[in-house]
Amino acid sequence: MYHLPVLKNRRTLLERAEKFISDVYFTDCNLRGRLYGESCPLETIASFLTPNRITFSEASKQNFEPYEVGGTFGPTWWTCWFKVSMTIPESWRGKEVHLLWESDGEGMVWRAGQPVQGLTKEGEKTSYILSECLKDEEPHNITLYVEMACNGLFGAGQGSMIAAPDPNRKFSVQKAELVIFNRDVLKLLTEFEMLVDIIKELGEGEQRGYQALFTANEMVNLCDPFDPSSFSKAHSLAHRFFNQRNGESQHTVHAMGHCHIDSAWLWPYEETIRKCGRSWVTAVNLMEKNPEFVFTCSQAQQFQWVKSWYPGLFSKIQHYVKTGQFIPVGGTWVEMDGNLPSGESMVRQFLQGQRFFNQEFGMYCKEFWLPDTFGYSAQFPQIMLGCGISNFLTQKLSWNLVNTFPHNTFFWEGLDGSKVLTHFPPGNSYEMKGKVEDLVKTVKNNKDKGRANHSAALFGFGDGGGGPTQQMVDRLCLVRDTDGLPRVQMSSPAELFSQLQAESALLCTWAGELFLELHNGTYTTQAQIKRENRRCETLLHDVEIASSLAICQNKTFVYPVEKLQQLWRLLLLNQFHDVIPGSCIGMVVEDALNYYKDIHNDGAALLLEACEALESKGSSSAVFNSLPWERHEVVQITDGTDEPSLALLRAPSVGVSPVKETQPVTPVSVTPQTDGSVIMENGILRTVVSKDGTLASLYLIGANREAVSNGCAGNQFVIFDDVPLYWDAWDVMDYHLQTRKPVLEVVNPAQVVSSGGLRGSVGFTLRISDKSTVTQEVIMDTMCPYIKFNTKVQWAESHKFLKVEFPVRVRSPNATYEIQFGHLQRPTHWNTSWDWARFEVWGHKWADLSEHNFGVALLNDSKYGYSVHKNTMTLSLLRAPKAPDATADMGTHHFTYAIMPHTGCFQDASVIQCAYNLNFPLRLIQCRPETEAWSAFSVSPSSVILETIKQAEDGKGAFVARLYESHGGTVTATLRINFPVKEAWHCDLLERRDTTQPARITPEGISLNFRPFEIVTLLLIL
Ligand SMILES: [Zn+2]
């Protein structure tokens, strides 16, 4: 029988229960104050400080100096190792004994040379269990090591989380002692806490909330904190409440332990390795204690790190993968950015990831896992299906600033019509804490009520690691089936998705990209990283093609399998969702640029070796074309003298041709005008470059069409104030558009640099501000249908955004942007909130604005941010955010973009091919004088692009050729191969042969059918 509350006063009863478990108030007499019993100081603590991240065996050999609790150590990014000796008092027999360790750094406990647990105050892990129930025969004298990293879970931001790190921060250990831990108190505290949260979350409108209120109140009446024998009565009252069960229709929450670890962000890559170690060893401990506990874990790269740095932990992980508790998810090398990597890079993310998981754990992931990425390409569904993945989980679209995404569980249909089952955990988080609030939110926010009766709840500290705690597991287990709350089951992604699939009849479909209406500055921030990414993608493409051809030409050539894998993995690592977007600290930028340097140096050497095998070295020069069409371009050559000169060269499709200069049909004419402007003409285009470098006119001669809008000028640099609301490196806000200022101050007016013939060009310099300038060469080549702008910017701004505008004489409600293996349209108007929320969008090598029979394309060699509003095409060039990297983008930048007016549609005008040509330079190689031109591959029609040729992952004698339909049409194409191929098979993106689909080889080549934007991969057996 309950004690009768005196008054009908919900508030006093609720607050009474809250105070009973408060860690701030009344701890002298409440239950919380009894969590720990007696304590005892440690015998000795000694420390050793090092700037390096060293191994345990190296650390344990060092000289340790005495350390006193409270003493400081540092600075940031150093490591302080502690040697801790302790003697557990005999009298603690039968008690649970903990080492209590509180510090603002991130710690790892080492025992007997093995990592045994992470200790992170921010992650609610401050005690290491020495004994669950002390027995006489257990060792009482124990020595441990604690490795303390001088950084917190979120690095060491100066003043705010995302501020640049404070390089001189000091850290300390605030508490280090032995304590008796009262587990029965913790159990009751958890029950109280869940009841209090139910009272608060269910509110006054639900009778279940009042039942929780009176249960909690009576438990306080029954429970004497100082008399553990009173606990059982309180506990059975709680038990009765929590065991009142739900009806059959209740929603089921699939709880999965998770620990989102950014592969680099506010800390460098090297620290991430230790974050993985600390977080995962803790997760493995939880598995040992809780057989039902499961932990989902993504990013093959992190597994690879743990494998090489913590081999003992890795073999435990292998064991728990087998038991189904440690669940590798995602299938990718890292959780990459979802917008910027090329199509081939995205395939390689899965190829490297899935192959790693298969090799180490004998399994392929069945779900793509990208909870924290800034938008999702419309090609993902096709790429996922091609990699054996039919389910997708994220939640980031809940961050949309403008529109609320209408679904939590739905089918996502990609560019080519591929569909994947997609789930956004309705709690809008990937780092829940197992609290009532999380469960209630999961049910309430679900936008597919009545359609999907299952949801995921990912629990565990995240971003900087940390992961789940025992308390989170305890909370969730307590409310497995409690009337008023959703059912909770520890579950796996496979279980969740199979339930969702089984009941998918009422689910809606979302077609096209999942555009994040936030973080749109990440298409531009850290321009150097983006440029290097593009250049390295291009280089590896060429290395693979040249090496494949080298094998066909020269049987002694050895395909550089391991080196290429290593370089790809570096490139893929830098595509992590805080690196390529530019949202990382300066240290990470430095690491990333060094990795790119490695790719360049090693890639260039591989390319040279392959080209030397292609054509035996000789005194003559040849030109290598890696693209699947013939090219006829102006190329810079060295003709024996030191002076570089230009030549107009022809190069066959995927092949080599000796350098033979050809004569232009129409040489470029360059004519300076009296007003300081310069007219350039090449028979295709005529342009007027004004004194200030803008284009007063851009005329498409054959069509008699002016491309520049009436009364406007093309190539207009503009600068904006760029102060977001919080996420500095990430966000550009809509209001920045109101601060547009044209860059007008001329330092050096337009002057002729190349006077015509093969090339005409005009150079000029503008002042952006007293600190920044832009210098440009406007280039017109003979035969070339576009004008190039080779650009150099000295950039020393603060919170400014530099763009270049082309107002064009085209009217269309939609502009087209290149994405991975295809393109899509976005509106040029701001009718609805969904339209204007896309005021800054991403694209790859080109964007196009076309009306019937005429259009203009804007190409680039290293940029990703675009906007086309009404008839103005804008390319985003440089930003100047100050957090988390205070020096982001400061310095000198080089980049090239190009403008291309055309008749017809962009497909027929070869805009796609021109953008490839701009990005993949013809490469000069050495050859013997008698070399003749040859082509290894060609494809027709040109709408099908041969993107990749590489040796098959599974070995010699087999090649992979990947093609895609680029126009958005159904087509039958022919791939011609000019070397003997024994067999050809269709295969998936993981290069697994489809034995039902041989490809027929005829004398004309291999005939292939394509849907719009379909990716087709062939296995060619030599
Ligand atoms: Zn993240």
Side-chain angles (χ1 to χ4, degrees):
M1 189 53 98
Y2 284 14
H3 292 75
L4 186 67
V6 182
L7 296 169
K8 209 167 190 179
N9 194 338
R10 178 177 178 271
R11 182 181 157 186
T12 54
L13 297 195
L14 169 59
E15 290 195 19
R16 181 193 188 199
E18 285 182 301
K19 293 296 176 339
F20 195 62
I21 56 172
S22 169
D23 54 5
V24 179
Y25 303 103
F26 305 109
T27 51
D28 62 321
C29 60
N30 73 5
L31 186 63
R32 175 78 58 183
R34 307 279 78 73
L35 185 58
Y36 296 105
E38 268 178 66
S39 68
C40 154
L42 304 180
E43 220 157 62
T44 59
I45 312 182
S47 69
F48 156 71
L49 194 62
T50 164
N52 302 317
R53 297 178 179 89
I54 57 177
T55 60
F56 171 80
S57 64
E58 203 181 325
S60 59
K61 288 183 206 124
Q62 306 298 323
N63 274 335
F64 283 74
E65 305 281 337
Y67 172 84
E68 257 182 67
V69 170
T72 60
F73 51 88
T76 319
W77 310 125
W78 285 43
T79 300
C80 196
W81 284 84
F82 291 90
K83 187 175 181 180
V84 181
S85 300
M86 58 204 103
T87 304
I88 306 173
E90 302 274 340
S91 59
W92 289 9
R93 173 178 319 116
K95 304 288 184 194
E96 181 167 336
V97 181
H98 288 194
L99 165 65
L100 205 61
W101 184 277
E102 287 185 18
S103 169
D104 43 2
E106 282 196 275
M108 170 77 102
V109 184
W110 292 82
R111 190 171 188 176
Q114 287 300 316
V116 290
Q117 197 195 293
L119 283 176
T120 309
K121 197 175 173 188
E122 290 165 286
E124 294 178 4
K125 292 178 196 74
T126 52
S127 57
Y128 170 65
I129 303 175
L130 292 164
S131 172
E132 282 176 1
C133 178
L134 186 69
K135 296 187 190 66
D136 285 340
E137 62 270 26
E138 279 182 67
H140 284 48
N141 297 311
I142 299 167
T143 298
L144 300 173
Y145 288 84
V146 183
E147 174 192 15
M148 293 298 306
C150 295
N151 56 263
L153 270 185
F154 291 88
Q158 196 157 21
S160 89
M161 179 180 81
I162 62 161
D166 175 356
N168 298 312
R169 188 186 285 189
K170 293 284 186 188
F171 292 77
S172 69
V173 177
Q174 294 109 33
K175 200 178 256 186
E177 60 190 20
L178 292 177
V179 289
I180 292 177
F181 183 78
N182 295 317
R183 180 118 343 233
D184 51 350
V185 172
L186 180 71
K187 212 169 156 189
L188 257 186
L189 282 172
T190 306
E191 288 164 351
F192 268 112
E193 176 207 36
M194 293 300 272
L195 284 167
V196 164
D197 287 351
I198 289 170
I199 300 164
K200 288 201 227 167
E201 288 298 325
L202 296 189
E204 296 186 47
E206 303 261 351
Q207 89 153 352
R208 189 68 177 146
Y210 283 90
Q211 290 171 352
L213 178 72
F214 295 124
T215 302
N217 185 57
E218 187 60 13
M219 284 168 67
V220 182
N221 288 334
L222 293 176
C223 175
D224 176 356
F226 295 92
D227 176 12
S229 72
S230 71
F231 294 176
S232 68
K233 276 188 203 149
H235 172 67
S236 37
L237 216 53
H239 187 77
R240 205 170 70 196
F241 177 89
F242 288 112
N243 282 316
Q244 286 177 324
R245 308 213 173 277
N246 272 299
E248 281 176 29
S249 68
Q250 186 56 273
H251 194 88
T252 300
V253 172
H254 294 248
M256 306 173 200
H258 188 51
C259 177
H260 185 73
I261 303 181
D262 289 317
S263 288
W265 179 29
L266 302 173
W267 53 87
Y269 284 124
E270 269 196 22
E271 191 54 40
T272 308
I273 300 173
R274 300 201 297 190
K275 282 176 178 289
C276 295
R278 291 188 284 262
S279 307
W280 295 4
V281 76
T282 308
V284 164
N285 287 347
L286 285 175
M287 287 170 202
E288 282 163 4
K289 295 212 165 79
N290 306 272
E292 76 277 38
F293 170 70
V294 296
F295 182 70
T296 53
C297 193
S298 66
Q299 314 199 55
Q301 168 72 82
Q302 297 187 0
F303 284 86
Q304 172 70 55
W305 280 334
V306 167
K307 186 184 173 188
S308 46
W309 284 72
Y310 305 96
L313 171 59
F314 190 74
S315 46
K316 279 192 181 174
I317 289 171
Q318 281 179 313
H319 166 75
Y320 283 108
V321 170
K322 272 199 203 108
T323 67
Q325 284 181 267
F326 205 110
I327 305 177
V329 293
T332 51
W333 187 248
V334 296
E335 285 189 17
M336 70 283 205
D337 181 80
N339 302 327
L340 310 184
S342 70
E344 191 58 32
S345 286
M346 284 191 169
V347 170
R348 300 308 175 92
Q349 286 285 355
F350 286 98
L351 184 75
Q352 290 295 331
Q354 290 282 50
R355 285 182 66 87
F356 179 89
F357 290 127
N358 189 43
Q359 201 177 322
E360 299 297 333
F361 307 116
M363 47 95 55
Y364 291 109
C365 301
K366 293 283 180 211
E367 65 297 298
F368 182 33
W369 189 274
L370 213 51
D372 186 31
T373 298
F374 313 150
Y376 306 88
S377 165
Q379 270 296 19
F380 267 132
Q382 184 179 189
I383 294 173
M384 280 183 237
L385 289 181
C387 297
I389 287 177
S390 52
N391 303 314
F392 174 44
L393 183 143
T394 182
Q395 62 80 45
K396 199 69 181 187
L397 259 61
S398 68
W399 284 46
N400 269 5
L401 202 62
V402 182
N403 297 287
T404 304
F405 193 79
H407 315 299
N408 284 101
T409 304
F410 59 103
F411 286 103
W412 180 21
E413 184 181 305
L415 198 61
D416 71 318
S418 297
K419 273 189 184 188
V420 291
L421 179 57
T422 299
H423 180 66
F424 297 176
N428 296 338
S429 168
Y430 49 77
E431 45 167 346
M432 291 180 159
K433 307 294 183 291
K435 302 194 83 160
V436 173
E437 179 197 356
D438 300 332
L439 301 173
V440 169
K441 249 205 235 165
T442 296
V443 176
K444 276 197 180 159
N445 291 355
N446 182 15
K447 293 184 206 78
D448 294 286
K449 293 186 187 75
R451 298 172 195 268
N453 212 17
H454 296 260
S455 296
L458 311 179
F459 65 96
F461 286 93
D463 292 327
T469 63
Q470 180 64 51
Q471 215 183 342
M472 295 176 195
V473 178
D474 291 345
R475 285 172 188 147
L476 289 165
C477 289
L478 193 59
V479 294
R480 265 194 197 113
D481 191 358
T482 295
D483 186 18
L485 295 180
R487 275 206 190 81
V488 178
Q489 68 179 69
M490 293 286 172
S491 185
S492 64
E495 267 176 77
L496 168 73
F497 280 107
S498 78
Q499 290 287 349
L500 292 174
Q501 184 69 51
E503 297 164 16
S504 59
L506 295 178
L507 296 183
C508 298
T509 295
W510 178 273
E513 67 178 326
L514 297 172
F515 184 86
L516 179 63
E517 296 170 353
L518 195 75
H519 293 357
N520 318 97
T522 59
Y523 318 144
T524 305
T525 306
Q526 298 286 10
Q528 205 67 15
I529 288 184
K530 289 163 169 80
R531 175 168 184 253
E532 294 302 327
N533 176 69
R534 182 80 65 82
R535 287 177 57 191
C536 290
E537 285 178 338
T538 309
L539 177 61
L540 294 186
H541 168 274
D542 284 7
V543 171
E544 287 185 337
I545 290 183
S547 304
S548 303
L549 300 188
I551 285 196
C552 301
Q553 296 282 90
N554 183 341
K555 296 289 176 219
T556 62
F557 180 78
V558 180
Y559 194 90
V561 176
E562 274 164 31
K563 196 74 210 173
L564 267 170
Q565 182 185 64
Q566 186 199 335
L567 300 184
W568 264 111
R569 286 181 171 183
L570 284 180
L571 181 64
L572 300 177
L573 174 58
N574 278 347
Q575 288 170 351
F576 177 74
H577 66 252
D578 282 310
V579 181
I580 197 174
S583 48
C584 50
I585 58 172
M587 284 170 96
V588 177
V589 176
E590 214 173 289
D591 284 348
L593 293 179
N594 280 330
Y595 289 166
Y596 287 127
K597 210 179 278 169
D598 291 347
I599 300 170
H600 269 299
N601 294 342
D602 295 358
L606 292 181
L607 188 63
L608 187 67
E609 279 168 37
C611 288
E612 280 175 1
L614 267 184
E615 288 295 337
S616 338
K617 260 189 185 172
S619 53
S620 295
S621 299
V623 63
F624 168 59
N625 173 22
S626 67
L627 297 178
W629 45 79
E630 191 189 271
R631 291 162 73 175
H632 197 186
E633 286 175 22
V634 175
V635 179
Q636 193 168 306
I637 57 167
T638 42
D639 52 359
T641 64
D642 285 343
E643 277 297 290
S645 61
L646 298 173
L648 180 62
L649 302 181
R650 213 182 268 281
S653 154
V654 195
V656 170
S657 169
V659 168
K660 271 197 201 116
E661 291 193 38
T662 58
Q663 286 311 307
V665 183
T666 313
V668 182
S669 69
V670 178
T671 322
Q673 305 293 297
T674 48
D675 64 354
S677 65
V678 178
I679 297 178
M680 295 196 285
E681 187 174 331
N682 69 356
I684 304 167
L685 300 170
R686 180 169 63 240
T687 188
V688 181
V689 183
S690 301
K691 231 161 54 174
D692 62 0
T694 58
L695 303 190
S697 165
L698 177 59
Y699 199 78
L700 187 61
I701 296 166
N704 272 328
R705 281 287 300 250
E706 173 59 50
V708 176
S709 188
N710 230 343
C712 298
N715 199 37
Q716 176 67 61
F717 288 98
V718 282
I719 193 146
F720 300 82
D721 294 341
D722 185 15
V723 188
L725 296 174
Y726 176 70
W727 297 98
D728 200 357
W730 292 256
D731 284 351
V732 55
M733 310 309 294
D734 52 341
Y735 52 74
H736 87 285
L737 293 169
Q738 299 168 41
T739 64
R740 177 185 176 279
K741 288 187 195 73
V743 175
L744 298 172
E745 197 184 335
V746 179
V747 181
N748 298 316
Q751 265 184 336
V752 175
V753 179
S754 300
S755 54
L758 294 181
R759 170 170 291 175
S761 75
V762 172
F764 65 92
T765 300
L766 305 179
R767 194 182 307 288
I768 298 168
S769 73
D770 53 356
K771 293 166 288 198
S772 306
T773 55
V774 54
T775 300
Q776 199 170 55
E777 190 180 356
V778 183
I779 297 172
M780 180 184 273
D781 281 346
T782 185
M783 315 274 298
C784 185
Y786 53 83
I787 292 178
K788 276 189 289 192
F789 301 85
N790 283 2
T791 314
K792 177 180 166 189
V793 180
Q794 301 281 6
W795 185 242
E797 298 299 312
S798 179
H799 291 116
K800 299 283 177 191
F801 198 162
L802 181 70
K803 308 183 190 182
V804 65
E805 291 177 347
F806 289 88
V808 296
R809 215 171 279 193
V810 177
R811 181 169 169 78
S812 171
N814 288 300
T816 308
Y817 302 84
E818 190 194 33
I819 68 162
Q820 295 80 1
F821 300 119
H823 54 81
L824 50 68
Q825 277 86 38
R826 301 187 184 106
T828 56
H829 55 72
W830 292 342
N831 281 358
T832 70
S833 60
W834 291 89
D835 300 327
W836 69 254
R838 288 178 282 176
F839 59 86
E840 174 82 12
V841 298
W842 63 272
H844 283 187
K845 300 186 288 292
W846 58 270
D848 181 85
L849 183 65
S850 285
E851 59 188 32
H852 174 65
N853 214 22
F854 181 77
V856 179
L858 181 51
L859 325 178
N860 76 78
D861 76 343
S862 58
K863 298 296 170 192
Y864 296 89
Y866 277 104
S867 63
V868 182
H869 182 50
K870 295 181 183 170
N871 66 328
T872 300
M873 306 180 77
T874 306
L875 185 64
S876 299
L877 302 176
L878 290 169
R879 295 186 69 221
K882 301 300 168 193
D885 176 5
T887 60
D889 281 317
M890 297 299 98
T892 308
H893 296 268
H894 295 270
F895 51 85
T896 296
Y897 54 87
I899 192 87
M900 176 175 171
H902 59 84
T903 53
C905 60
F906 68 86
Q907 289 100 328
D908 294 339
S910 297
V911 163
I912 299 169
Q913 282 75 12
C914 287
Y916 269 93
N917 292 348
L918 183 72
N919 279 270
F920 292 79
L922 289 172
R923 298 185 189 270
L924 286 177
I925 62 175
Q926 290 188 329
C927 67
R928 284 167 288 124
E930 62 273 23
T931 295
E932 285 186 26
W934 56 268
S935 155
F937 290 89
S938 58
V939 197
S940 65
S942 62
S943 59
V944 170
I945 293 179
L946 174 60
E947 176 72 26
T948 301
I949 303 160
K950 66 186 277 288
Q951 183 170 286
E953 296 290 316
D954 282 331
K956 288 183 199 163
F959 283 90
V960 165
R962 186 159 13 257
L963 308 95
Y964 73 98
E965 198 289 319
S966 68
H967 285 185
T970 299
V971 71
T972 299
T974 306
L975 171 67
R976 272 176 298 275
I977 308 173
N978 298 323
F979 54 84
V981 172
K982 277 194 210 125
E983 292 169 46
W985 295 86
H986 283 266
C987 66
D988 69 3
L989 297 176
L990 301 183
E991 304 180 6
R992 295 178 296 190
R993 185 188 299 204
D994 180 350
T995 50
T996 65
Q997 277 207 77
R1000 214 160 62 82
I1001 307 172
T1002 67
E1004 288 75 45
I1006 299 175
S1007 175
L1008 300 164
N1009 297 320
F1010 287 82
R1011 317 187 283 282
F1013 304 114
E1014 185 178 359
I1015 308 162
V1016 167
T1017 308
L1018 295 175
L1019 211 51
L1020 306 174
I1021 317 290
L1022 296 189

